[in-house]
Amino acid sequence: MIKEMLYIIFILIITSCSTYHIDDLNQTLSQSISNLNPKSIVAILRLNTNGHLSKINDILVTKSKDIVSASDDKTIRVWNSKNGKEKRKILGEIGDGDEGKIYAIALSPDEKFLAVGGFIEQNGKYNSNKETNCIRIYNFKSGKLIQNLKAHKNVVHDLAFSPDGKYLISGSADSSANIWSVQDNFKLIDTIKQNNDEIYAVGVINRDNRHIFITAGLDGKLIFYSLEDKKVLKLYKLNYKLMYLATSNRNIAVCGFGNRIDIYNFNLEHNKTIYSKVKPAGLNYSKDDKFLIVGTGKYPYYINIYNAFNDYKKIQTFKKHKNTTTAVTFLDNKRAISGGGNNNEIYIWNIKDAKPTKKIEGVGIDIWSIGVYKDKIAWGSIDPCPKCQNGTENISGKLQKYIDLKNFKIGYIKDEKKFKRVNTSTKDFKLYIKKDGKLNLKNSSLVIDKFYKKIVITRNLCSGVRHNCFGIYKSRFQNKEYIISGGSNGVLRIYNSDGEIIANLIGHLGDIWAIAIDNNNDRLISVGDDHIIRVWDLRQINRKSFNYMFTKNEFHAILSKREIKNIKPTINIFITKNNEWVIWTPQGFYTASNRGEKFIGYHINRGFNREALFLDISRFRKEFFREDLIKKTIQFGKINIFFHRKIDIVSLLKAGLPPIVKILNKEHNISSDTLELNVSICKRDGGFDNLSFYIDNKLVEYMGTKKALLYKQDSSNSCTIFTVELNIPKGKHQIAVDATNASGNILSNRATFQIINRKQNHRKPNLYLLTISISNYKDKNLNLKFPNNDAKELALEIKKIAKDIFEHIYIYSLKDNLATKRNIFNKMNKISKMIGVDDVFILFISGHGITREEDAQYYFLTYNFIDKKRTKKIEEFAISQNEFKKLLGKIKATKVVLLIDTCQSGSVATSTFSSAIKRFTKDTGVAIITASTSSSLAIDGYKKHGIFTYTLLEAMRKKEVYNFAGMLTIGNIAEYIKYTLPKISKQKLNYKQTPVIYLQGDTTFAIGKL
């Protein structure tokens, strides 16, 4: 879909409107944030998709050929040009709406300083009478924010250092250009004020021992100003708006709204005009001055290269981008770089043949169409109108995939007709778009045709620019009809049938391409160029307590006492090209696919004068991974405080940030049983605790601060070096280490290290089985029929099928009055001292379990538990999943299986239990196969067994479950239980029991042989 010069409109909004929008990617997670001291930490939830999320505005290349790019997504990213991977981010304070967008970057010739300009307002407050817009100066190597220059009265559009690095020039929407002395700590020494409109481009050349500063603006003026002479040397007034400028050691090139590029020489004389069929947008010269690369602002989206040494003859055209691409430069004298397009991708390509050598882009998918059917949301990634000049124009494209919100499975669509999109007509009126208003766009106006009169909703720069998609919603509660329309710049609004604004739907930032309205469930589904699917509860139209949000054009709504509501999405969905996904609520609760966690995290503002940090959401898994709350939100439209503890990200961060963890080892090959791992822990303000070591994601060593200090080798400043001996299996493995802050609620980074152990194994592995079963509790009301029998039969079956695989089989049992918390701890500690890293450990638990809804924490009830209500003394007489984590952390074996057959009551036996188990699996790296049985089913059982254990035993006894080599792996067992347990429970007991299976690490190892 063509965004014809929409990047210009988007920037102009900042200077022309006072609209307050909430950033689609940046949802502040606590109302209490506004009450914090300005110096306090603020966390904002953001996507992190391995690529830019919004338009790339500027791009440059370092001496080492790293690529540095800046974007409307408020990030600066440094890329390795060889492998295309992100090396680091350079971040600053951001806020809602446009606050924090980056329009320009400039790197000093010695690469010491990185200057950053854009919408950078202290406290986010725009004041046209004061120099409130700042330029950030970073130490480029460290990413540390050195200082903020109070620069202009409006946004900074462009920056440039002089070739000798002595000066920096900034061009602003306030029509001025400031000159700063770098050697005088960036002191403001001069200002160019001859432009009468926004300055979009600046540059500097050295000539005759003079620094000549150049400005180009929307007034068409091209100004050459001598710093030493304090005067304008030359002023050209072109008949089109200027936006881009590039300098070489011999020429200056400018372009803008016209289909032309004008070239000037160092005598400041006009040298040549290049006429182009492609609207030029973005300019840069190669380092040898030979080539000029020109970006694109309009269809067809071609990037052109001209030979400056051959009268600017066009020598190459690059055609891979499918949308506006203004960030262009050269990697070297043979390769070009262009950043933009539909997916904000960066291409590295050969000048000679225009063939790409590397493509850098995020994992998000372009979604142009959306549909809804019951709990399934469908989408399509095919642009329905590639040549449309003004957005999607309400054209629906083909639906290709869907996600089922009941089980979060993704599938392909066979019949897209059943999916609802939008209706644009009723018996009372119809909707259509027309060309109207100052913007002269085909769809800037939406007509409500009531047959006897027509009402027109016309959009402008401040109210969404255009109507990309629209439809009619009929409320089941009010018997009223509403109009919903999505436009540009994140504007998604609900109107009544008289065209009056009822609500602003706060979430999207960029263009909204499609909506679907589910009248039966009062839901709206929307999607835009941010790649996020958002689900809205339209019943909120009738609820109270919403804030006002209005532009000057909407002020009449306040005067007429008509409330304009702000509505946030109930859930947000991000799906990758490989069907990984993450779903989150405005409160920050989330669930994700196996690899989906890494695509979302928190941007941590630490004050206007400090660089910001980014922490991926897995750091907060303990508190915010709540698949059960996501399902409740989908069902009820909001989360009741009853279901969770009142906690937010700001409260967690007050405890301080976690440490920075590094592995210091250099040697990647060993030939012994053990490895001395050297780890550096550098404390930040939150201290450290819970030092954890992993092999192939399996937790193999866990220690608190006191134990860790026993392994201390050295310390300096805030960093401490620990040396820990780990048992390493034969073969290639990944070693990982992480820790938490002292409060234990925020994880550190996970440092990783690859190791190859070439040792020779001289024996078969051993198998250790521990069964914990309680049929007879101290509290007789908790008694169960089958746990002890299940444990006995399982031990016998494993002993039978495993005898040919393992050197020795060690079976331990704790049942009934022996299954106390103390005895379980002692037995696990005993096994941990015996088991080897190459051995296999199976833990079987059968009895009662409880999953607390407020924190989704699973507990296994030991023998002494006597509270009938199951609310008191849980910590004393039950083992929590955190305690199981510590116990399993002592087990050195990397091949561990946890089998849980416990009964619970009510809905806890499903989604909340699933949340607890999934989080536990991610924390420990063990394979878990379980089914949380309802109390009534546990009493009835099936063929003298709990139905889960019955199915487990059947998997071990049936030859067809074994693989082609006659081996029974954990994966084989899991697959059989996954498909067989629901069928048996439904057919035999009229109850569909769904197993909870999460397989981490190696699940191909065998525990049985035919």
Side-chain angles (χ1 to χ4, degrees):
M1 201 63 56
I2 294 177
K3 301 179 185 175
E4 180 184 1
M5 300 299 280
L6 195 58
Y7 56 91
I8 299 172
I9 296 173
F10 193 68
I11 295 171
L12 288 173
I13 285 179
I14 298 168
T15 62
S16 307
C17 311
S18 59
T19 308
Y20 177 79
H21 292 301
I22 304 295
D23 191 338
D24 70 317
L25 305 173
N26 310 330
Q27 298 181 32
T28 303
L29 300 183
S30 172
Q31 297 297 323
S32 64
I33 288 178
S34 59
N35 299 322
L36 294 176
N37 186 291
K39 295 182 180 180
S40 298
I41 294 173
V42 175
I44 299 170
L45 191 62
R46 308 204 69 192
L47 282 179
N48 184 40
T49 66
N50 301 330
H52 281 296
L53 301 166
S54 298
K55 180 179 175 290
I56 301 171
N57 293 314
D58 209 349
I59 199 163
L60 56 84
V61 176
T62 68
K63 294 175 183 177
S64 61
K65 295 187 179 180
D66 282 343
I67 300 170
V68 187
S69 57
S71 168
D72 275 350
D73 67 10
K74 309 179 183 182
T75 69
I76 299 167
R77 299 170 190 254
V78 182
W79 311 91
N80 183 318
S81 63
K82 293 181 180 179
N83 59 26
K85 292 183 178 180
E86 181 184 305
K87 297 178 71 173
R88 59 191 173 108
K89 295 182 183 71
I90 298 175
L91 304 173
E93 183 171 274
I94 64 173
D96 297 323
D98 300 313
E99 185 188 347
K101 288 185 176 180
I102 300 168
Y103 302 145
I105 52 174
L107 188 61
S108 61
D110 60 4
E111 298 191 352
K112 181 178 180 181
F113 301 113
L114 181 73
V116 179
F119 193 102
I120 304 173
E121 300 278 353
Q122 189 161 9
N123 301 322
K125 295 180 179 179
Y126 168 70
N127 188 332
S128 61
N129 297 316
K130 293 183 178 180
E131 287 76 15
T132 58
N133 201 280
C134 295
I135 298 169
R136 290 178 180 144
I137 305 296
Y138 290 90
N139 179 299
F140 178 66
K141 183 178 180 180
S142 67
K144 182 178 177 61
L145 180 58
I146 299 172
Q147 65 183 114
N148 284 299
L149 309 179
K150 288 189 176 180
H152 293 278
K153 297 178 181 179
N154 212 319
V155 298
V156 173
H157 286 313
D158 200 16
L159 295 161
F161 280 97
S162 60
D164 57 12
K166 292 182 178 180
Y167 302 104
L168 171 72
I169 181 172
S170 56
S172 170
D174 66 6
S175 307
S176 71
N178 286 337
I179 301 173
W180 312 81
S181 174
V182 176
Q183 56 194 3
D184 294 323
N185 198 29
F186 290 92
K187 178 182 178 181
L188 179 62
I189 59 172
D190 207 346
T191 301
I192 302 171
K193 300 180 179 179
Q194 280 72 22
N195 288 92
N196 303 117
D197 207 336
E198 298 185 45
I199 296 175
Y200 265 85
V202 294
V204 194
I205 60 173
N206 288 351
R207 192 196 71 173
D208 301 331
N209 295 320
R210 283 175 167 77
H211 294 85
I212 300 175
F213 293 85
I214 311 164
T215 67
L218 296 184
D219 56 3
K221 288 183 179 179
L222 179 64
I223 295 170
F224 296 91
Y225 179 86
S226 170
L227 175 63
E228 284 75 14
D229 297 319
K230 301 292 183 183
K231 70 176 183 179
V232 174
L233 301 180
K234 209 86 173 231
L235 187 155
Y236 291 91
K237 182 68 171 70
L238 284 74
N239 61 357
Y240 64 97
K241 297 178 179 181
L242 300 177
M243 289 192 67
Y244 301 98
L245 183 153
T247 62
S248 69
N249 291 312
R250 44 192 285 172
N251 290 133
I252 302 103
V254 294
C255 70
F257 274 54
N259 281 71
R260 54 188 278 187
I261 305 157
D262 285 283
I263 308 296
Y264 297 81
N265 59 32
F266 267 36
N267 292 324
L268 312 186
E269 298 170 339
H270 186 269
N271 190 41
K272 184 178 181 63
T273 297
I274 306 169
Y275 292 98
S276 172
K277 294 180 180 180
V278 176
K279 182 166 284 188
L283 300 167
N284 238 316
Y285 279 99
S286 59
K287 289 179 173 61
D288 61 2
D289 299 335
K290 183 177 181 180
F291 301 117
L292 174 69
I293 186 171
V294 182
T296 174
K298 185 179 179 180
Y299 183 85
Y301 298 108
Y302 295 164
I303 312 296
N304 290 323
I305 291 182
Y306 300 86
N307 189 333
F309 291 176
N310 188 15
D311 198 32
Y312 284 91
K313 179 182 178 182
K314 185 171 71 174
I315 61 164
Q316 195 53 267
T317 299
F318 184 72
K319 302 179 180 181
K320 292 291 185 180
H321 293 289
K322 303 302 179 185
N323 220 312
T324 299
T325 304
T326 62
V328 291
T329 190
F330 293 91
L331 183 65
D332 48 37
N333 295 327
K334 295 182 179 180
R335 290 174 290 178
I337 302 173
S338 50
N342 278 337
N343 204 29
N344 308 300
E345 68 272 2
I346 297 173
Y347 276 106
I348 303 173
W349 47 283
N350 291 323
I351 298 172
K352 184 177 181 180
D353 57 12
K355 289 184 178 180
T357 59
K358 184 66 64 177
K359 183 181 181 181
I360 303 170
E361 66 175 342
V363 297
I365 50 178
D366 295 320
I367 302 178
W368 298 102
S369 306
I370 205 79
V372 58
Y373 171 67
K374 295 183 178 179
D375 286 308
K376 295 179 179 179
I377 294 176
W379 70 89
S381 300
I382 300 173
D383 189 343
C385 187
K387 295 185 179 181
C388 287
Q389 294 289 322
N390 302 305
T392 51
E393 301 175 9
N394 221 41
I395 299 173
S396 297
K398 181 179 176 60
L399 299 176
Q400 299 163 292
K401 291 182 179 181
Y402 70 86
I403 183 168
D404 191 328
L405 297 182
K406 283 187 175 180
N407 54 27
F408 307 122
K409 291 183 179 179
I410 293 174
Y412 288 92
I413 292 174
K414 296 179 181 179
D415 180 15
E416 66 173 309
K417 293 181 180 178
K418 62 184 178 182
F419 286 89
K420 298 175 183 177
R421 311 255 190 140
V422 292
N423 292 324
T424 57
S425 64
T426 68
K427 63 177 183 176
D428 298 317
F429 62 89
K430 63 180 179 179
L431 305 175
Y432 57 88
I433 54 175
K434 74 169 187 175
K435 190 174 183 178
D436 196 7
K438 296 180 180 179
L439 297 181
N440 198 34
L441 298 176
K442 180 180 178 181
N443 55 351
S444 60
S445 292
L446 179 66
V447 179
I448 307 172
D449 190 343
K450 293 191 172 183
F451 308 114
Y452 61 92
K453 70 172 181 178
K454 296 180 181 179
I455 300 168
V456 180
I457 304 172
T458 299
R459 288 186 164 166
N460 55 34
L461 294 178
C462 302
S463 59
V465 183
R466 57 199 184 188
H467 298 274
N468 287 330
C469 48
F470 49 88
I472 299 169
Y473 160 60
K474 186 172 183 179
S475 172
R476 295 183 298 157
F477 300 95
Q478 295 181 312
N479 197 28
K480 289 184 179 179
E481 292 172 327
Y482 297 94
I483 294 126
I484 303 176
S485 173
S488 299
N489 308 319
V491 174
L492 180 59
R493 290 180 175 169
I494 301 175
Y495 305 84
N496 62 23
S497 59
D498 292 323
E500 298 171 322
I501 299 171
I502 300 298
N504 289 293
L505 304 180
I506 308 299
H508 292 289
L509 181 63
D511 282 281
I512 298 160
W513 294 135
I515 61 173
I517 300 171
D518 181 3
N519 285 297
N520 293 332
N521 295 295
D522 299 287
R523 286 189 300 192
L524 169 72
I525 319 296
S526 63
V527 70
D529 60 6
D530 56 17
H531 300 159
I532 300 175
I533 299 171
R534 303 189 189 272
V535 181
W536 314 80
D537 179 12
L538 295 178
R539 292 172 296 182
Q540 292 191 41
I541 296 174
N542 306 313
R543 295 174 185 160
K544 295 182 179 180
S545 72
F546 291 91
N547 299 322
Y548 288 110
M549 180 184 103
F550 56 93
T551 66
K552 295 177 181 178
N553 295 333
E554 298 162 0
F555 191 66
H556 66 279
I558 306 303
L559 296 178
S560 62
K561 298 181 180 180
R562 176 167 49 81
E563 185 182 37
I564 300 175
K565 297 178 180 179
N566 286 347
I567 299 175
K568 289 186 177 182
T570 55
I571 60 168
N572 309 274
I573 306 169
F574 174 74
I575 303 171
T576 74
K577 298 169 184 175
N578 297 322
N579 292 339
E580 298 292 340
W581 52 267
V582 58
I583 302 175
W584 69 97
T585 71
Q587 296 85 4
F589 297 109
Y590 76 97
T591 185
S593 61
N594 192 38
R595 295 180 178 86
E597 269 185 328
K598 62 184 177 182
F599 299 122
I600 193 170
Y602 290 100
H603 180 111
I604 311 294
N605 285 341
R606 301 195 297 165
F608 190 74
N609 295 314
R610 295 186 69 185
E611 67 279 3
L613 302 174
F614 183 86
L615 301 178
D616 64 81
I617 204 167
S618 65
R619 311 282 193 93
F620 307 92
R621 183 188 299 141
K622 179 181 176 182
E623 301 291 349
F624 288 112
F625 184 89
R626 295 295 302 271
E627 186 172 290
D628 56 312
L629 293 184
I630 297 295
K631 290 185 175 181
K632 286 182 173 70
T633 303
I634 293 169
Q635 183 179 359
F636 301 114
K638 62 178 181 179
I639 306 173
N640 193 310
I641 191 66
F642 169 78
F643 294 123
H644 67 93
R645 291 183 297 164
K646 190 175 182 180
I647 191 166
D648 57 64
I649 187 66
V650 176
S651 301
L652 296 181
L653 288 168
K654 286 180 180 178
L657 294 171
I660 297 172
V661 180
K662 293 181 181 179
I663 296 176
L664 305 179
N665 292 55
K666 302 296 183 183
E667 180 57 52
H668 293 270
N669 292 275
I670 62 172
S671 298
S672 61
D673 291 330
T674 60
L675 166 72
E676 284 193 351
L677 192 70
N678 299 308
V679 179
S680 168
I681 305 291
C682 295
K683 292 188 291 185
R684 291 189 277 193
D685 56 343
F688 93 94
D689 200 357
N690 305 310
L691 188 57
S692 301
F693 298 82
Y694 307 83
I695 299 177
D696 300 331
N697 291 321
K698 160 62 176 65
L699 182 66
V700 295
E701 185 66 63
Y702 177 90
M703 56 183 71
T705 305
K706 290 183 179 179
K707 183 178 178 181
L709 291 175
L710 298 176
Y711 298 89
K712 176 181 174 181
Q713 294 295 317
D714 191 16
S715 62
S716 60
N717 298 324
S718 60
C719 296
T720 303
I721 296 175
F722 301 91
T723 299
V724 178
E725 189 176 89
L726 295 180
N727 294 92
I728 307 297
K730 180 183 177 181
K732 185 177 180 180
H733 305 280
Q734 178 179 272
I735 311 299
V737 186
D738 63 26
T740 69
N741 59 357
S743 296
N745 54 16
I746 306 177
L747 269 173
S748 72
N749 64 300
R750 181 173 286 193
T752 60
F753 182 75
Q754 301 296 324
I755 190 78
I756 298 176
N757 193 348
R758 304 184 188 277
K759 71 175 183 177
Q760 298 297 319
N761 285 338
H762 300 292
R763 66 167 178 85
K764 295 179 183 179
N766 294 324
L767 172 65
Y768 292 80
L769 169 66
L770 172 60
T771 64
I772 304 171
S773 61
I774 310 175
S775 292
N776 303 296
Y777 278 85
K778 188 173 184 179
D779 183 347
K780 305 299 182 184
N781 295 307
L782 298 178
N783 285 355
L784 297 166
K785 289 183 180 180
F786 309 111
N788 291 341
N789 187 49
D790 287 346
K792 179 183 176 181
E793 291 294 320
L794 179 67
L796 291 172
E797 197 62 40
I798 286 181
K799 193 171 184 179
K800 183 192 305 182
I801 67 174
K803 65 180 186 301
D804 294 332
I805 301 177
F806 298 97
E807 187 85 14
H808 299 287
I809 299 174
Y810 299 99
I811 298 176
Y812 303 92
S813 173
L814 293 172
K815 68 177 183 179
D816 292 345
N817 63 330
L818 294 178
T820 64
K821 190 169 184 177
R822 181 177 181 178
N823 285 347
I824 294 170
F825 275 50
N826 288 338
K827 188 63 71 175
M828 288 286 289
N829 287 331
K830 179 181 178 181
I831 294 172
S832 70
K833 295 175 182 178
M834 300 166 57
I835 197 167
V837 70
D838 295 296
D839 295 332
V840 172
F841 178 62
I842 300 175
L843 175 61
F844 174 78
I845 300 172
S846 183
H848 278 288
I850 289 178
T851 309
R852 292 197 307 201
E853 292 214 82
E854 65 265 29
D855 59 359
Q857 182 80 204
Y858 172 78
Y859 292 83
F860 173 68
L861 306 187
T862 63
Y863 169 77
N864 290 322
F865 189 85
I866 58 174
D867 182 43
K868 293 180 181 179
K869 294 184 179 180
R870 303 181 179 181
T871 57
K872 299 177 182 178
K873 297 186 178 180
I874 290 180
E875 285 78 10
E876 184 178 354
F877 296 122
I879 302 177
S880 71
Q881 66 186 65
N882 287 337
E883 289 172 314
F884 272 120
K885 174 185 174 180
K886 293 179 181 180
L887 291 172
L888 289 171
K890 297 178 180 180
I891 301 295
K892 295 184 284 292
T894 58
K895 299 171 182 178
V896 177
V897 185
L898 180 55
L899 305 170
I900 304 176
D901 189 0
T902 56
C903 74
Q904 302 192 56
S905 59
S907 63
V908 176
T910 53
S911 61
T912 310
F913 177 71
S914 178
S915 288
I917 295 302
K918 193 170 185 178
R919 187 172 67 241
F920 181 72
T921 304
K922 287 179 176 291
D923 288 342
T924 61
V926 303
I928 298 182
I929 307 174
T930 178
S932 184
T933 312
S934 69
S935 297
S936 60
L937 188 57
I939 292 171
D940 295 335
Y942 183 68
K943 293 186 178 182
K944 298 182 180 181
H945 289 289
I947 193 166
F948 169 77
T949 304
Y950 172 83
T951 312
L952 173 62
L953 292 170
E954 284 291 292
M956 295 178 176
R957 292 166 178 164
K958 289 190 173 183
K959 293 182 179 180
E960 58 266 31
V961 181
Y962 288 65
N963 64 24
F964 65 93
M967 309 297 282
L968 181 67
T969 70
I970 295 302
N972 297 146
I973 293 173
E975 195 73 8
Y976 181 81
I977 291 176
K978 177 181 178 181
Y979 291 103
T980 306
L981 179 59
K983 291 180 181 179
I984 294 177
S985 59
K986 184 66 176 176
Q987 292 172 1
K988 304 297 183 181
L989 303 170
N990 197 31
Y991 176 94
K992 186 177 181 181
Q993 185 177 11
T994 303
V996 178
I997 299 172
Y998 294 111
L999 304 181
Q1000 293 285 318
D1002 180 12
T1003 59
T1004 62
F1005 65 91
I1007 63 166
K1009 182 178 180 181
L1010 289 175

